[in-house]
Amino acid sequence: MNNRNFIRNNVWALFALLFIGVVLYPTPTFSKHKAKKPTKKSTVKVSKRHKLIEESLAKLKKYLIGNKQFSFENISFDPQNEQTIVLGDNSSIFTHPLFKDKLIQNILSWLGTPYRYGGSSKRGVDCSNFICGILNETVGVRLPANAQTQALLFEPIYEIDKLQFGDLIFFSGRNQRAKRIGHVGIYLGNGIFVHSSTHRGVIVTHISESYYTPRYRFGGRLAAGRFLLAAQ
């Protein structure tokens, strides 16, 4: 075979390969992509999330709003105005009504966030990272992202009746007899607390629910004298 025939044959072979490639493996230029329809699984997941949010809001309304403790209005304040945050050293940070309402507003924005181990955003969050995130955005307090380590920062409050709004509330993990802390939430009063549940995500729960009662260990207060406020 001479050189001219060799080149001619290879050129035709190249065109043949290109033709096969276009037909069998079309690029986006030659094919149209249909928009994905929502699957039944994704629809069920959204419906479940909405139901959990509704349940949490119902508990907030029953135990907090019904008592007219919170206005649920958009509240803003000047972070340079030191008069707005003057608190006693042993007072809870949330004694101040502005921080109290701000925490409630932030809780509402987190409700329904799915649980994700090690997650720290509204795409997915675990219990200790939820505490870190919401306290940081509410009062500028930065805590370690571990429930056991967080528990060591506080003077224990063992009696539930002595807990105040905004106190952290610590539980053991799956083993209800264990002393090690495996779960944490924020107490809101009248027996309810907000947390990121392993199976349900960020929800409001009443402590009387059977799973949590035997696992409760103690609470911890964010005293104004110990923790740095966002406004300072």
Side-chain angles (χ1 to χ4, degrees), residues 69-229:
Q69 292 184 358
F70 305 100
S71 62
F72 284 86
E73 297 175 353
N74 291 324
I75 293 178
S76 61
F77 60 95
D78 182 1
Q80 302 303 320
N81 184 359
E82 295 182 0
Q83 296 302 315
T84 64
I85 58 168
V86 175
L87 300 170
D89 286 348
N90 295 321
S91 300
S92 168
I93 289 175
F94 296 105
T95 299
H96 198 286
L98 291 177
F99 289 131
K100 183 178 289 188
D101 279 311
K102 191 176 180 182
L103 179 62
I104 285 292
Q105 291 292 338
N106 288 333
I107 286 172
L108 293 176
S109 73
W110 277 90
L111 284 180
T113 300
Y115 179 89
R116 180 181 297 169
Y117 180 77
S120 58
S121 72
K122 290 179 181 177
R123 290 178 296 179
V125 67
D126 62 21
C127 66
S128 58
N129 272 303
F130 168 64
I131 298 300
C132 291
I134 201 165
L135 290 182
N136 184 38
E137 65 187 26
T138 303
V139 292
V141 169
R142 297 179 181 274
L143 298 182
N146 178 277
Q148 174 68 21
T149 306
Q150 289 172 355
L152 298 175
L153 301 175
F154 299 91
E155 186 71 26
I157 303 171
Y158 293 105
E159 298 179 36
I160 295 176
D161 292 342
K162 291 185 178 180
L163 293 176
Q164 297 178 7
F165 176 89
D167 288 347
L168 298 194
I169 184 167
F170 297 99
F171 302 86
S172 62
R174 293 182 179 180
N175 183 355
Q176 67 181 48
R177 296 182 180 180
K179 293 183 178 180
R180 181 176 176 80
I181 301 301
H183 191 62
V184 59
I186 299 179
Y187 189 72
L188 302 179
N190 297 327
I192 64 172
F193 64 100
V194 62
H195 61 130
S196 182
S197 162
T198 305
H199 299 294
R200 309 182 77 192
V202 178
I203 56 170
V204 174
T205 298
H206 197 282
I207 198 168
S208 64
E209 295 182 21
S210 59
Y211 180 87
Y212 295 99
T213 302
R215 289 172 172 79
Y216 170 74
R217 291 297 172 261
F218 54 83
R221 183 157 301 146
L222 283 87
R226 287 194 59 196
F227 294 93
L228 179 65
L229 301 185

Side-chain angles (χ1 to χ4, degrees), residues 15 37 63 176 182 216:
F15 276 116
K37 295 182 179 180
Y63 294 101
Q176 67 181 48
Y216 170 74

Side-chain angles (χ1 to χ4, degrees), residues 54-73:
E54 289 176 358
E55 290 177 2
S56 293
L57 291 175
K59 289 177 182 177
L60 285 173
K61 183 177 181 181
K62 178 179 179 180
Y63 294 101
L64 294 184
I65 305 175
N67 295 326
K68 298 181 179 180
Q69 292 184 358
F70 305 100
S71 62
F72 284 86
E73 297 175 353

Side-chain angles (χ1 to χ4, degrees), residues 22 25-33:
V22 169
Y25 304 101
T27 64
T29 306
F30 297 93
S31 64
K32 295 182 179 180
H33 294 275

